[in-house]
Amino acid sequence: MNKDSELTQKLNNILIEFADRESVINLLRLSNYSKTESIEILKNALSISYYKAQDIIHNSQTWSDVKEVDEKIMNDFFDVLEELGSSKSEET
């Protein structure tokens, strides 16, 4: 069993026993897992969709210090996509 699989199983057991997601998310961050890695691990531990795991992590207290920056990056990204889409439609 690889490191992430073992961690996923341990976290799943913690979640079943204590149902304390914030503690699990905090443990992941303190263990130097990135936000993206934490999303993937939580997704696997809870057998939920990527988007549900992303929502849980993004809105957690543990990651609240980067929430505003992450939202700005995503909004800027979607603005660029929208501009690209409108410029393509103007060309046709």
Side-chain angles (χ1 to χ4, degrees):
M1 194 183 274
N2 71 33
K3 180 180 146 191
D4 286 346
S5 294
E6 290 175 17
L7 180 61
T8 297
Q9 187 57 46
K10 286 178 187 175
L11 295 179
N12 191 33
N13 292 339
I14 292 169
L15 287 165
I16 289 169
E17 188 173 343
F18 300 107
D20 184 5
R21 291 180 180 173
E22 195 64 43
S23 294
V24 168
I25 294 166
N26 192 43
L27 173 66
L28 289 168
R29 190 165 190 189
L30 291 173
S31 299
N32 294 318
Y33 283 91
S34 70
K35 190 172 181 181
T36 303
E37 291 168 326
S38 297
I39 292 167
E40 188 65 29
I41 291 168
L42 190 67
K43 176 185 87 78
N44 293 332
L46 296 176
S47 299
I48 58 177
S49 73
Y50 178 87
Y51 297 106
K52 179 68 176 164
Q54 181 184 34
D55 183 60
I56 292 168
I57 297 287
H58 181 67
N59 290 303
S60 69
Q61 182 64 37
T62 300
W63 287 98
S64 63
D65 62 313
V66 296
K67 182 177 179 177
E68 189 175 311
V69 172
D70 289 350
E71 287 177 348
K72 180 170 179 4
I73 290 168
M74 289 301 296
N75 288 336
D76 290 349
F77 174 73
F78 288 120
D79 288 347
V80 168
L81 287 179
E82 189 175 298
E83 288 174 21
L84 288 172
S86 65
S87 68
K88 283 202 176 234
S89 64
E90 290 173 6
E91 292 174 5
T92 57

